[in-house]
Amino acid sequence: MSEDFTAKKIGDSLTEVTHILFPRSLNDMGRLYGGQLLEWLDELAGIVARRHCGGSVVTASIDRMDFKEGAKQGDMVCMRGYLTYVGNTSMEVRMDSYVENVSDGTRHLINTAFFVMVAVDENGSPAKVPPLVVESLREQAEWEAAERRMEFRKMRRKEGL
Ligand SMILES: CC(C)(COP(=O)(O)OP(=O)(O)OC[C@H]1O[C@@H](n2cnc3c(N)ncnc32)[C@H](O)[C@@H]1OP(=O)(O)O)[C@@H](O)C(=O)NCCC(=O)NCCS
């Protein structure tokens, strides 16, 4: 785990990955299998969080995984992950997934999800993460929405919902 607690910008850890949909990632309807997307997103969220904290992380929670549209064989699926909020040891990563039109580069959104990643030390105990620099009005609005989700998750854990 890095001992450098200098604040970092959202762009410092923002990460994009693109996959071409091959048959092995399809369900029996010939659409992108949800479990495959989840695996790709979990790895991407881990990369974003590691880039921010400079050490190991675990996935603590995944929520609001909204499948808006399907994707089919041969589609290019682009996933974009970035931090919206950091706490003491936790980080919320927003993940947007798109299908990209190969002829003109336009994208349409197929999935959004929020992952909570927790930095851990060599014993697996939560470890402090660097602060996040929030610059634009949009980033500030995302931070405030994430704060509300964090509060809700705390309440959900406390009340076993
Ligand atoms: C995530 C984990 C490290 C948290 O450990 P813990 O002893 O409960 O630690 P704490 O209660 O001090 O919580 C640490 C942070 O995680 C957050 N957190 C813990 N559980 C959470 C959950 N279910 N959802 C959202 N945030 C959570 C807390 O809010 C806290 O955030 P903060 O430090 O920014 O305020 C621990 O529960 C764990 O190792 N879980 C298994 C992770 C794993 O194996 N993931 C892979 C799944 S296949």
Side-chain angles (χ1 to χ4, degrees):
M1 177 61 60
S2 167
E3 291 300 316
D4 180 4
F5 293 113
T6 310
K8 291 186 185 168
K9 296 181 178 184
I10 291 166
D12 293 338
S13 55
L14 185 150
T15 308
E16 276 201 18
V17 175
T18 302
H19 289 277
I20 297 174
L21 263 195
F22 291 120
R24 63 172 180 266
S25 303
L26 304 177
N27 64 19
D28 62 350
M29 301 293 291
R31 298 278 196 102
L32 169 61
Y33 174 53
Q36 172 66 84
L37 184 64
L38 184 57
E39 183 186 329
W40 286 339
L41 292 177
D42 196 25
E43 183 178 358
L44 181 54
I47 292 168
V48 172
R50 279 167 184 252
R51 284 182 167 159
H52 182 76
C53 73
S56 298
V57 302
V58 292
T59 309
S61 166
I62 302 172
D63 66 17
R64 288 282 317 283
M65 182 109 186
D66 293 329
F67 291 91
K68 297 174 190 297
E69 278 188 44
K72 59 184 190 315
Q73 184 171 336
D75 278 348
M76 296 212 306
V77 177
C78 312
M79 288 156 286
R80 186 169 196 265
Y82 59 94
L83 288 174
T84 51
Y85 172 90
V86 305
N88 188 32
T89 65
S90 66
M91 296 158 276
E92 186 188 73
V93 186
R94 176 181 174 140
M95 212 74 68
D96 294 323
S97 304
Y98 305 86
V99 167
E100 183 174 309
N101 182 326
V102 72
S103 59
D104 63 9
T106 56
R107 293 176 169 189
H108 70 270
L109 190 67
I110 60 164
N111 186 279
T112 58
F114 294 96
F115 283 61
V116 179
M117 313 302 289
V118 176
V120 288
D121 63 17
E122 52 286 355
N123 303 312
S125 302
K128 193 169 159 46
V129 299
L132 187 66
V133 180
V134 173
E135 296 178 297
S136 65
L137 284 175
R138 183 172 175 273
E139 290 175 358
Q140 183 62 36
E142 293 221 59
W143 173 281
E144 285 166 15
E147 257 182 336
R148 293 205 296 278
R149 283 189 295 274
M150 283 299 198
E151 281 309 310
F152 181 67
R153 290 184 191 110
K154 273 187 196 141
M155 186 189 77
R156 213 170 48 190
R157 289 206 300 287
K158 195 170 157 206
E159 300 188 12
L161 294 173

